[in-house]
Amino acid sequence: MSQLSHFPISAVKRVVKRTLDDSITISKEANFLLTDLANEFFLTLGAASVNTSSESKSSMLNGSHVFSAITELGFGHLSEDVRTRLSDVTKQKRKITKSKKLAEQPMTQEDMDAFEQRRQELDRMMFEYS
């Protein structure tokens, strides 16, 4: 296997353990092999994605190239799950970007008054609770 990239063995072990029954343990040999296979899979997927990108004369690797590579490698049955996950991640990134933009905007006096009122309410609630 090429050592262009390397997943930490502990990270692969954590992922695998999440999918197993608690009564099953992973031997060092099995963990090493799974890590090696994960590295090889991602190198192969990356190379196939770059080939797809080159064939379409694109200078940027994008999601459609990766989806095409997944299908080309015989994992087309996973593409819908991957598309759903990508959509979820994209939505989350948009939310974060939007909240950062909102955070960069200066607060109006009305916003500051509402914030101060809410802070005082929380202080009262904490005092009553203690």
Side-chain angles (χ1 to χ4, degrees):
M1 185 188 86
S2 172
Q3 289 300 318
L4 295 175
S5 69
H6 179 68
F7 286 110
I9 291 175
S10 60
V12 174
K13 184 174 185 176
R14 262 192 317 273
V15 170
V16 172
K17 283 190 87 122
R18 287 183 195 155
T19 63
L20 297 177
D21 186 297
D22 288 339
S23 64
I24 299 174
T25 58
I26 306 166
S27 72
K28 287 182 181 182
E29 177 186 40
N31 196 42
F32 175 79
L33 290 171
L34 288 168
T35 302
D36 199 39
L37 289 169
N39 284 319
E40 193 63 37
F41 174 76
F42 281 99
L43 288 172
T44 302
L45 180 59
S49 300
V50 168
N51 286 342
T52 302
S53 172
S54 297
E55 289 170 3
S56 66
K57 299 188 183 344
S58 175
S59 61
M60 177 182 283
L61 183 66
N62 62 41
S64 66
H65 300 131
V66 177
F67 287 118
S68 294
I70 287 171
T71 302
E72 180 184 313
L73 293 172
F75 295 97
H77 60 283
L78 299 176
S79 64
E80 193 56 41
D81 290 339
V82 174
R83 281 187 201 279
T84 301
R85 179 67 181 128
L86 179 62
S87 175
D88 293 346
V89 168
T90 302
K91 286 176 188 174
Q92 188 63 29
K93 285 177 105 175
R94 284 185 188 141
K95 273 184 174 178
I96 291 169
T97 301
K98 186 177 180 180
S99 67
K100 283 182 180 179
K101 285 180 181 177
L102 288 173
E104 292 171 356
Q105 294 176 354
M107 287 180 74
T108 65
Q109 185 62 45
E110 185 179 312
D111 292 336
M112 287 189 276
D113 292 344
F115 177 79
E116 181 60 25
Q117 183 179 4
R118 182 67 181 143
R119 189 191 64 76
Q120 289 174 359
E121 289 173 12
L122 291 172
D123 284 348
R124 274 193 296 273
M125 289 171 52
M126 290 299 293
F127 179 75
E128 291 170 3
Y129 180 75
S130 58

